[in-house]
């Protein structure tokens, strides 16, 4: 693979395992998995949590993300081959064949369905809906200017799934899970707008749609700020509705600082600091919120 077009946060090596890990950017599971576990923590206030349930939630989330990312790579393979930023990905480069990619997606889908079946009947009933929703994201850039919101809603399933895995039903009060879904949806959508900024010219030339293509760079950055302005209050509302205490709110305050720092790095006309380190901060944010929530729950 040409080093000049290799994306950040990929591993070197030619083994099949490494190629599959890079294919779905497996380390990025860290971005949203903590929020799935945050749902588990919230449910633990009124329902006992077992190690088996936590393990199944981790497996189910990781498998669902593999399906979403793998299917996205398959659906976008022709666009990826034409984009200098993504032409080094596994399918355009031939590091993985299309059948190999499909096999991994199908296996991951079966793992997801199996894990959901071992959790409770509600999770199993909802699992096909979740898979269809996250896979449909891959085509949103062809039909809507707002694919970022679809992606945000896809990942907002994570805390709801974690909660349902433990409780087997919706939260009381009902707005508690709605608030964490809103927090994740706006967090991810804002982050994805940043991710789309470097591809604006390519997307426009290819007839692909995004907020960046529609609004331009400056207004897209403003939209990301507005979305992230919703994220933190929604996290606060979730904490209040589920019973978290002081440490949880400290974690939320730290997360707000991380978001503020990210927004200082990106300005219209200057994307020079929009690099792998910037995106890693999102993993730091999700881990921070979960860590403080866990400490609040245990101490």
């Amino acid at each position: 693979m040409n080093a000049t077009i290799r994306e950040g946060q990929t591993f070197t090596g030619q083994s099949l395992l490494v190629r599959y890990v890079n294919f779905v950017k497996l380390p990025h599971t860290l971005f949203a998995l903590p929020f799935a576990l945050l749902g588990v923590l919230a449910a633990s206030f009124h329902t006992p949590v077992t190690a088996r349930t936590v393990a199944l939630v981790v497996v189910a989330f990781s498998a669902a993300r593999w399906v979403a990312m793998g299917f996205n790579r398959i659906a976008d393979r022709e666009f990826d081959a034409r984009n200098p930023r993504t032409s080094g990905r596994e399918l355009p480069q031939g590091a993985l064949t299309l059948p190999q990619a499909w096999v991994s997606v199908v296996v991951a889908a079966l793992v997801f369905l199996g894990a959901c079946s071992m959790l409770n009947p509600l999770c199993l009933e909802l699992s096909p809906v979740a898979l269809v929703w996250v896979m449909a994201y891959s085509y949103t850039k062809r039909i809507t200017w707002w694919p970022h919101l679809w992606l945000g809603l896809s990942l907002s399933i994570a805390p709801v799934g974690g909660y349902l895995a433990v409780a087997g039903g919706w939260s009381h009060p009902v707005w508690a899970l709605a608030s964490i879904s809103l927090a994740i949806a706006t967090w991810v959508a804002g982050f994805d707008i940043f991710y789309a900024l470097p591809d604006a010219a390519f997307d426009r030339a290819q007839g692909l749609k995004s907020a960046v293509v529609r609004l331009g760079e400056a207004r897209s950055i403003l939209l990301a700020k507005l979305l992230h302005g919703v994220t933190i209050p929604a996290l606060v509302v979730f904490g209040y509705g589920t019973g978290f205490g002081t440490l949880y709110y400290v974690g939320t305050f730290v997360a707000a600082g991380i978001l503020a720092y990210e927004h200082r790095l990106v300005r219209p006309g200057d994307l020079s600091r929009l690099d792998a380190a910037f995106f890693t901060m999102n993993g730091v944010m999700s881990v921070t919120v979960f860590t403080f929530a866990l400490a609040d729950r245990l101490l």
Side-chain angles (χ1 to χ4, degrees), residues 40 44 47-57 119 165-166:
V40 171
S44 73
T47 306
V49 177
T50 66
R52 175 182 180 275
T53 298
V54 174
L56 287 172
V57 168
L119 284 166
V166 175

Side-chain angles (χ1 to χ4, degrees), residues 9-198:
Q9 299 173 312
T10 58
F11 293 94
T12 58
Q14 298 300 317
S15 71
L16 183 60
L17 176 60
V18 168
R19 283 178 279 157
Y20 270 130
V21 167
N22 289 336
F23 174 56
V24 296
K25 284 193 174 293
L26 193 61
H28 286 202
T29 303
L30 180 66
F31 282 9
L33 178 58
F35 285 118
L37 296 177
L38 187 59
V40 171
L41 278 181
S44 73
F45 280 101
H46 54 78
T47 306
V49 177
T50 66
R52 175 182 180 275
T53 298
V54 174
L56 287 172
V57 168
V58 171
V59 169
F61 175 83
S62 300
R65 187 194 169 279
W66 189 299
V67 172
M69 181 64 80
F71 185 76
N72 181 259
R73 294 293 193 251
I74 292 170
D76 283 355
R77 63 190 184 278
E78 294 181 2
F79 292 115
D80 287 344
R82 294 195 288 267
N83 187 341
R85 185 181 67 80
T86 59
S87 61
R89 287 176 176 172
E90 285 63 38
L91 286 178
Q93 284 288 293
L96 287 176
T97 66
L98 188 58
Q100 286 176 320
W102 270 116
V103 165
S104 76
V105 169
V106 171
V107 169
L110 293 174
V111 170
F112 173 71
L113 295 172
C116 289
S117 71
M118 297 172 69
L119 284 166
N120 56 57
L122 181 59
C123 287
L124 178 59
E125 290 171 9
L126 294 176
S127 58
V129 178
L131 284 183
V132 170
W133 183 268
V134 299
M135 292 170 71
Y137 161 73
S138 297
Y139 293 99
T140 54
K141 289 183 72 172
R142 295 155 171 84
I143 61 175
T144 176
W145 299 109
W146 317 111
H148 326 283
L149 297 178
W150 193 292
L151 180 63
L153 290 171
S154 296
L155 282 173
S156 75
I157 294 172
V160 175
Y163 188 97
L164 296 181
V166 175
W170 196 259
S171 64
H172 300 285
V174 295
W175 46 263
L177 280 185
S179 62
I180 189 63
S181 294
L182 178 63
I184 306 311
T186 53
W187 170 61
V188 172
F191 166 71
D192 194 56
I193 288 172
F194 282 130
Y195 193 73
L197 288 170

